[in-house]
């Protein structure tokens, strides 16, 4: 276990300050994913089509039905959409921001490596120059890889959430039609 902690510490040290930002961003993505998974397996499960057809809903859907009857279609969708779509915008932000942070880390790492090359004539030993160059290149590669991995995880979570929201939208449309009063027949003479 201590070997793993030492390895992670070495990776974080090599990755530079941008890698720390990416780690914080990845923790936020994991927390969002866990919260959304928990919500969709508990409260959100009643918005799944097969559960709706089998059970007819639950407490969340009953609350939505009450708002639909009392305040109308637009307000009912506004009330439930907040719960259904929570986290989707944040994940969209991460899909765009994580690769950009990775590229920033790449630029900083390459600048460090090129700075070490520029110091070649200042009397530094070849071994210390090689270490400085490899440290800059390691920072560049680690942050790029981390940014891409985080963006891919966020993208998968975002697509999963979009699929759940679309399915819930279908259930809500069915329920809205079922609860809406039938149209008045035309009284044309």
């Amino acid at each position: 276990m201590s070997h793993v902690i030492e390895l992670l510490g070495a990776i974080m040290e090599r990755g530079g300050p941008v890698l720390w930002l990416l780690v914080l961003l990845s923790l936020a993505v994991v927390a969002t994913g866990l919260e959304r998974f928990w919500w969709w397996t508990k409260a959100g499960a009643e918005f799944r089509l097969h559960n709706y057809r089998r059970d007819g809903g639950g407490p969340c859907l009953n609350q939505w039905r009450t708002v639909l009857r009392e305040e109308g279609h637009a307000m009912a969708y506004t009330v439930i959409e907040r719960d259904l779509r929570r986290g989707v915008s944040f994940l969209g932000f991460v899909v765009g921001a994580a690769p950009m942070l990775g590229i920033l880390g790449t630029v900083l790492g390459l600048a460090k490596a090129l700075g070490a090359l520029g110091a070649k004539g200042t009397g530094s030993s070849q071994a210390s120059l090689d270490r400085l160059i490899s440290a800059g290149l390691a920072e560049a590669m680690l942050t790029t890889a981390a940014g891409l991995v985080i963006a891919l995880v966020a993208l998968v979570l975002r697509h999963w959430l979009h699929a759940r929201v679309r399915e819930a939208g279908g259930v809500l449309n069915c329920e809205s039609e079922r609860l809406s009063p039938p149209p008045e027949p035309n009284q044309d003479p």
Side-chain angles (χ1 to χ4, degrees):
M1 182 68 173
S2 65
H3 180 66
V4 171
I5 293 172
E6 288 174 18
L7 179 63
L8 289 175
I11 290 171
M12 294 304 296
E13 185 179 323
R14 284 189 183 144
V18 174
L19 189 59
W20 286 98
L21 290 173
L22 287 166
V23 166
L24 291 175
L25 198 59
S26 69
L27 292 174
V29 167
V30 168
T32 300
L34 290 173
E35 187 276 332
R36 292 286 71 206
F37 181 76
W38 177 83
W39 191 87
W40 279 102
T41 56
K42 302 294 181 199
E46 61 195 74
F47 295 101
R48 300 293 310 272
L49 188 57
H50 65 276
N51 291 344
Y52 172 72
R53 293 181 75 188
R54 183 187 66 216
D55 303 332
C60 276
L61 201 49
N62 289 336
Q63 174 192 3
W64 186 80
R65 287 177 183 128
T66 303
V67 174
L68 180 66
R69 283 188 201 103
E70 293 173 0
E71 300 184 40
H73 185 82
M75 181 57 75
Y77 274 97
T78 301
V79 166
I80 198 65
E81 186 178 35
R82 178 187 61 232
D83 286 333
L84 295 176
R85 298 187 60 81
R86 189 172 49 238
V88 172
S89 294
F90 171 71
L91 292 173
F93 163 76
V94 171
V95 167
M100 293 298 114
L101 283 171
I103 290 171
L104 175 63
T106 300
V107 170
L108 294 175
L110 289 175
K112 189 184 288 184
L114 292 173
L117 280 175
K120 192 171 189 172
T122 62
S124 299
S125 72
Q126 186 61 40
S128 67
L129 287 174
D130 289 346
R131 271 189 308 245
L132 288 172
I133 292 169
S134 65
L137 293 176
E139 181 178 333
M141 297 301 110
L142 283 172
T143 56
T144 303
L148 291 173
V149 167
I150 294 165
L152 288 172
V153 169
L155 185 64
V156 168
L157 281 171
R158 189 169 189 258
H159 281 289
W160 178 78
L161 283 174
H162 271 297
R164 293 292 171 266
V165 169
R166 277 193 305 275
E167 185 178 19
V171 166
L172 294 172
N173 283 333
C174 290
E175 191 64 15
S176 179
E177 287 177 14
R178 191 178 74 75
L179 294 175
S180 296
E184 299 275 330
N186 284 344
Q187 299 293 334
D188 290 342

